[in-house]
Amino acid sequence: MENTSAEKPSINSVLKESLGNIQNIAGADTAAPEKPDNMVVVDYKMVTFSLSGKDYAIDIMKVKEIAKAGRFTYVPNALPFVLGVYNLRGDIIPIIDLRLFFNIEMPEREYDALENMLIVSVGELTFGVVVDEIDKVVGIQKSSINPPHPLFGDISIKYIQGVVEVNNRLYILLDIEKIFGSKSDSKSSETAAMREMAARASVAAPAAGVKKAAAPAPKKEEKVDYSFVVDSLSSMRKFTASSLNDKWMQVRYKEWEGERGKGKTQLQNPADADMFLKKFFSPFSGTWWDKAYADSIFKALPDNTAKQIVVWNPGCGKGAETYSLACVLKKRYPEAKLRIYAHEVDLLSISNAPLLAVPGDVANDWYAPYITKKANGDFTFISDIRDSIMFEYHDCANTNNLPSCDIIFARDVLSFLSESAQQTVVADFSEKLKGNGIVILGQNESLEENPKWSATKVGTVTIFGKK
């Protein structure tokens, strides 16, 4: 492990010297004015720094020292904002980049570059926090700290302790304890990951008296472990990796590693998450189907002579999928009465779905038998199709008061629920589905790992039934 900072004064001496230096820079911010009558009582000091050109600060009591360092030791399976671990005079500490933690855009990092770090303590844990520039120590009255507001920063308000104006500069005061988890929900992915990193770092610390960097560990056989990608997808796009999509995740991670290169697979921002998930979604997800895909769904639908076919379509989006499904169902079961329960948690989408306009090219495609032209020249679906669909604002993870279903059509829905919600909804599928009913999930979702379900592939579509 390489360490570019000088060794080896005591922590206390470095702290006094480091903070003394930035206090000297503070100048008029902490110096007492000449007139005692106008003196402002300073009862709170904060260390100020910048992130992407904006001014931030943290309580000086949380800062042990400031440092410059680079070439952090990479730790496998760490979250994107964890740069690695660092040997601080024999103490191995995890290094967190606040810019990555807050999804703030930043220039590409150079391997040999020295980073500006605040060494902070939260409870018994110590972290190195990388920022753009460390400014100075500013003394204020604690009463001058204003409550936080979402408009004051690019970060979540839950991490903001308050805002304060000093010499016409507005500082966003971060709550370092909430960021590092001592006052936040211990089950949050960020908190658990960082506390685990601290624990792993302490275990990895060299024995007392060892001054030389440890020899690199022997290489082990590489395994597909995408846990840090999982946490990033969850926090950035609410995508939950589980047994429902594990096969796709393993294949996609290998592809991603090939695209980005080993050691560069971390998801740095939401754009990376979108790129990673681009290949996950089913054909024509959220839009009108072409004839080939409509035919594949038609062939996958089982024979059913019932007078009424009940269908549940959770996650119906803006309605294009539901209308497409309704047309295929009408063709497959021409004599049956269709009842399609289309649910969506996006209030705007579900409100506009009944009025969804049909483009001319769609109306003249395979949809044509189910389309009519209005007096103003616009296209709409015939009443048999429109009347068969009940668009409702509803979260499928909650209680679903539905009749027994012949078909459950839920493409690309379950993977964007928490794992506990996935289990709840799948159990609801089992309860609501008739004995001869089928479930169609997204092309990269599966119930095969669940012993209560069987899978049958019909052409390019996999259907699931209860055992």
Side-chain angles (χ1 to χ4, degrees):
M1 186 181 302
E2 298 190 48
N3 186 336
T4 60
S5 63
E7 318 259 35
K8 165 157 177 164
S10 69
I11 293 179
N12 288 336
S13 64
V14 173
L15 174 58
K16 290 178 180 178
E17 180 180 354
S18 300
L19 295 185
N21 288 338
I22 55 177
Q23 284 173 337
N24 291 335
I25 298 173
D29 289 326
T30 57
E34 294 182 1
K35 296 181 179 180
D37 293 341
N38 297 329
M39 181 180 294
V40 175
V41 177
V42 173
D43 59 1
Y44 188 93
K45 289 186 178 181
M46 57 188 189
V47 179
T48 64
F49 56 91
S50 63
L51 295 173
S52 190
K54 292 192 176 181
D55 293 322
Y56 294 84
I58 61 174
D59 185 352
I60 195 173
M61 299 304 293
K62 301 298 180 185
V63 180
K64 295 181 67 175
E65 63 180 273
I66 60 174
K68 269 186 176 287
R71 294 188 181 183
F72 307 116
T73 301
Y74 174 71
V75 177
N77 308 327
L79 286 173
F81 49 78
V82 180
L83 301 185
V85 294
Y86 177 68
N87 186 343
L88 183 69
R89 296 181 296 279
D91 291 329
I92 308 302
I93 63 172
I95 305 299
I96 311 300
D97 191 326
L98 277 187
R99 298 164 297 192
L100 297 179
F101 182 80
F102 293 136
N103 293 320
I104 296 174
E105 290 190 9
M106 55 177 287
E108 186 174 352
R109 174 177 283 104
E110 297 180 6
Y111 174 69
D112 290 326
L114 295 179
E115 304 281 8
N116 293 306
M117 290 198 309
L118 295 168
I119 310 301
V120 302
S121 293
V122 181
E124 298 179 353
L125 305 179
T126 300
F127 298 87
V129 178
V130 171
V131 299
D132 283 341
E133 295 290 340
I134 300 172
D135 188 13
K136 55 193 172 186
V137 172
V138 176
I140 61 171
Q141 283 187 302
K142 197 168 186 178
S143 60
S144 66
I145 300 174
N146 294 301
H149 190 284
L151 296 178
F152 283 125
D154 301 324
I155 65 177
S156 173
I157 192 172
K158 67 182 179 181
Y159 299 127
I160 301 176
Q161 182 176 335
V163 292
V164 60
E165 185 177 2
V166 179
N167 293 341
N168 297 319
R169 292 177 69 176
L170 189 66
Y171 294 96
I172 300 168
L173 184 59
L174 299 179
D175 191 329
I176 205 73
E177 291 192 349
K178 284 189 177 179
I179 292 174
F180 289 96
S182 65
K183 295 198 302 186
S184 62
D185 184 357
S186 61
K187 296 182 180 179
S188 72
S189 60
E190 295 95 342
T191 293
M194 287 191 287
R195 297 181 75 84
E196 180 185 354
M197 277 294 299
R200 288 160 71 184
S202 63
V203 171
V210 177
K211 297 181 180 180
K212 294 183 180 180
K219 291 186 178 179
K220 297 181 180 180
E221 183 180 350
E222 292 186 4
K223 296 181 180 180
V224 176
D225 186 346
Y226 46 77
S227 57
F228 58 91
V229 173
V230 168
D231 291 326
S232 298
L233 291 174
S234 177
S235 62
M236 294 177 186
R237 286 295 178 256
K238 296 184 179 180
F239 180 92
T240 302
S242 67
S243 60
L244 287 166
N245 48 47
D246 179 65
K247 288 184 178 179
W248 178 83
M249 281 290 297
Q250 292 194 42
V251 172
R252 180 58 181 136
Y253 179 76
K254 290 180 180 178
E255 292 177 348
W256 184 254
E257 188 175 56
E259 295 168 11
R260 296 299 178 97
K262 288 189 176 181
K264 299 180 181 179
T265 54
Q266 296 180 353
L267 307 182
Q268 303 287 353
N269 49 51
D272 279 354
D274 291 338
M275 186 65 67
F276 187 94
L277 292 175
K278 188 175 181 180
K279 297 183 179 182
F280 171 78
F281 297 97
S282 301
F284 306 99
S285 182
T287 189
W288 305 105
W289 299 353
D290 71 2
K291 187 176 186 304
Y293 186 71
D295 288 344
S296 67
I297 296 296
F298 177 88
K299 293 174 184 177
L301 296 175
D303 293 334
N304 194 327
T305 58
K307 294 182 179 180
Q308 179 170 275
I309 304 292
V310 178
V311 181
W312 183 16
N313 178 210
C316 65
K318 297 181 179 180
E321 175 178 275
T322 310
Y323 285 116
S324 302
L325 176 62
C327 292
V328 173
L329 291 168
K330 186 65 178 175
K331 180 181 178 181
R332 184 69 177 85
Y333 310 112
E335 302 302 321
K337 180 180 179 182
L338 299 176
R339 291 186 63 82
I340 304 171
Y341 295 89
H343 293 166
E344 176 58 52
V345 294
D346 186 323
L347 183 57
L348 183 61
S349 294
I350 200 68
S351 299
N352 292 329
L355 306 174
L356 186 65
V358 183
D361 59 335
V362 171
N364 294 316
D365 199 1
W366 66 272
Y367 294 88
Y370 313 104
I371 297 290
T372 186
K373 199 170 187 177
K374 297 192 289 188
N376 63 0
D378 293 341
F379 295 101
T380 188
F381 288 96
I382 60 175
S383 58
D384 278 358
I385 296 296
R386 287 186 284 108
D387 294 345
S388 69
I389 303 171
M390 285 143 284
F391 288 107
E392 298 177 352
Y393 173 74
H394 182 69
D395 184 350
C396 65
N398 297 327
T399 304
N400 300 289
N401 297 317
L402 296 170
S404 297
C405 299
D406 298 280
I407 299 167
I408 297 175
F409 196 85
R411 297 193 311 163
D412 310 334
V413 175
L414 298 181
S415 293
F416 293 89
L417 303 176
S418 67
E419 192 161 6
S420 61
Q422 290 177 4
Q423 295 169 359
T424 298
V425 175
V426 170
D428 213 17
F429 285 177
S430 181
E431 180 184 339
K432 297 290 191 296
L433 196 67
K434 294 179 181 178
N436 62 342
I438 65 165
V439 173
I440 297 179
L441 302 179
Q443 68 172 359
N444 293 309
E445 297 173 315
S446 175
L447 294 174
E448 292 180 83
E449 298 299 317
N450 191 316
K452 296 182 179 180
W453 296 88
S454 62
T456 305
K457 192 154 188 177
V458 182
T460 60
V461 178
T462 300
I463 61 175
F464 301 93
K466 294 191 291 185
K467 288 183 178 179

